[in-house]
Amino acid sequence: MEVSTTLWVLTIVGLAALIAVDFFIGRKPHDVSIKEAGIWTVVWIALAGLFGLGLLIFGGGQPAGEFFAGFITEKSLSVDNLFVFVLIMAKFAVPSQYQQRVLLVGVLIALVLRAIFIAAGAAILASFSWVFYLFGAFLIWTAWKLIQEARADEEDEEYEENKLLKAAERRFGVADRYHGTKLWIQENGKRVMTPMLVVMLAIGTTDVLFALDSIPAIFGLTQDPYIVFTANAFALMGLRQLYFLIGGLLKKLVHLSYGLSIILGFIGVKLVLHALHESGVHVPEISIPVSLGVICSVLIVTTITSLRASKKQAAAEAAQEKSASAPKDSIDV
């Protein structure tokens, strides 16, 4: 799909305007209600749908299909980010009324870093076709690693600050408490960071680790940098509202890692087949409609099985608590 400089500029300006509106509406620190989070989640999904419809009308079925496949993939992978965001919020004890501001700025940092990743990835793929093999192998390895982590079932997982964040804290220093939404304050004659800025940087830089698998994954669905960028942008910008909407449901998605591993493995195989095809080997390629169908089916099945497993586990725990309290009740009688 041919994308002019004008279209790139209009797209970035449009996204910036939407972000500005989002920031203006939520500029005052407050606790985000389920209703507010639900409305904005629907708004961002609807905007993504309208954008995909525009691609269908003006660009054809291929770009639109690639966008929707990329958006759904990035959205599902971004849900995995929320687990880490919960850990970060707990680690830094972020007051509930400031969490929406933290997530907004953190996601903006993540979007800028992903744009750099996308530009670099597009340039590499345009120059070296063998990188498709590398991306495919990396996604298959990541899928296997996800399965291993899911089997390990680490319940006492804690967030650890990355080296960049630790270096910034040593260089500038950090205040011992939050000062509203201020990012910098004067303390003992020295300008230091507040915990608010630290947690924003934590969320933004931590997303880079997730981009290492999500960016190759979407390049496995489309090699168009415009579609890769817009799919990432719409998926990330709705992430803040999704955090407040399904934060309590995250623990119930017990099979999410298995679903994501299947999706990443599938796209990895797709990339390898594409690389073989580009090398002149006659192998079947997986079409976008097939990719979209597989991704949606895996997510639906994963959600259903997760909710069923969580329901059974809750029922078993309730029965166990009831049986444990029964002897005490009989003694009291």
Side-chain angles (χ1 to χ4, degrees):
M1 177 175 150
E2 293 293 331
V3 180
S4 64
T5 304
T6 303
L7 181 57
W8 268 106
V9 172
L10 289 175
T11 301
I12 293 173
V13 170
L15 285 172
L18 290 172
I19 294 168
V21 170
D22 194 3
F23 182 84
F24 179 78
I25 292 175
R27 68 189 184 281
K28 292 183 179 180
H30 64 283
D31 292 324
V32 178
S33 65
I34 296 296
K35 181 180 179 181
E36 179 183 348
I39 291 173
W40 274 101
T41 298
V42 172
V43 167
W44 279 107
I45 292 176
L47 288 172
L50 289 173
F51 182 82
L53 183 61
L55 285 177
L56 177 63
I57 294 172
F58 298 104
Q62 181 74 11
E66 291 176 353
F67 171 78
F68 283 120
F71 172 73
I72 293 171
T73 300
E74 292 298 315
K75 198 71 173 177
S76 59
L77 289 171
S78 68
V79 172
D80 208 28
N81 297 25
L82 298 183
F83 287 98
V84 180
F85 289 175
V86 170
L87 295 177
I88 292 175
M89 293 293 188
K91 169 77 174 182
F92 293 98
V94 182
S96 59
Q97 67 269 27
Y98 298 143
Q99 290 184 4
Q100 52 95 20
R101 176 68 63 85
V102 166
L103 286 170
L104 177 61
V105 178
V107 166
L108 284 177
I109 295 172
L111 184 57
V112 172
L113 294 176
R114 286 203 181 200
I116 297 172
F117 269 60
I118 291 167
I124 291 172
L125 289 174
S127 303
F128 308 102
S129 59
W130 56 264
V131 175
F132 283 111
Y133 290 108
L134 185 63
F135 277 9
F138 177 74
L139 288 179
I140 294 171
W141 175 80
T142 304
W144 173 248
K145 187 179 177 183
L146 270 177
I147 293 176
Q148 297 277 36
E149 291 175 354
R151 287 180 175 178
D153 192 21
E154 299 177 1
E155 295 187 10
D156 297 328
E157 187 179 3
E158 293 184 2
Y159 168 75
E160 293 184 6
E161 298 177 12
N162 55 57
K163 293 182 179 179
L164 179 63
L165 198 58
K166 288 179 179 179
E169 291 175 356
R170 287 194 301 268
R171 171 66 179 82
F172 299 104
V174 182
D176 58 354
R177 63 183 178 85
Y178 287 89
H179 293 263
T181 56
K182 292 181 179 179
L183 305 181
W184 297 90
I185 63 165
Q186 290 289 335
E187 191 174 81
N188 298 324
K190 181 182 178 182
R191 194 164 182 256
V192 299
M193 298 189 301
T194 65
M196 176 71 75
L197 178 56
V198 175
V199 72
M200 287 177 178
L201 292 174
I203 287 178
T205 55
T206 300
D207 182 77
V208 173
L209 299 176
F210 292 95
L212 292 177
D213 55 35
S214 67
I215 298 301
I218 193 170
F219 270 116
L221 298 169
T222 175
Q223 286 79 59
D224 190 327
Y226 181 76
I227 296 177
V228 172
F229 172 74
T230 51
N232 268 273
F234 279 107
L236 279 178
M237 291 316 302
L239 191 59
R240 179 169 65 99
Q241 290 77 17
L242 201 62
Y243 171 87
F244 295 104
L245 184 64
I246 69 171
L249 296 176
L250 286 176
K251 291 184 178 180
K252 293 185 178 181
L253 300 177
V254 294
H255 296 159
L256 178 64
S257 294
Y258 292 104
L260 295 180
S261 66
I262 293 173
I263 291 173
L264 290 177
F266 170 77
I267 297 175
V269 172
K270 184 180 185 300
L271 267 174
V272 172
L273 290 175
H274 177 74
L276 290 170
H277 183 79
E278 290 293 313
S279 300
V281 181
H282 296 289
V283 293
E285 284 204 86
I286 302 173
S287 66
I288 289 298
V290 172
S291 300
L292 190 57
V294 170
I295 293 167
C296 291
S297 299
V298 169
L299 290 176
I300 291 171
V301 171
T302 299
T303 302
I304 293 173
T305 58
S306 293
L307 294 177
R308 284 182 176 177
S310 297
K311 187 176 180 180
K312 288 181 179 180
Q313 184 178 0
E317 290 176 355
Q320 187 175 1
E321 289 178 2
K322 185 177 180 181
S323 62
S325 62
K328 182 179 181 301
D329 293 339
S330 62
I331 291 174
D332 290 341
V333 172

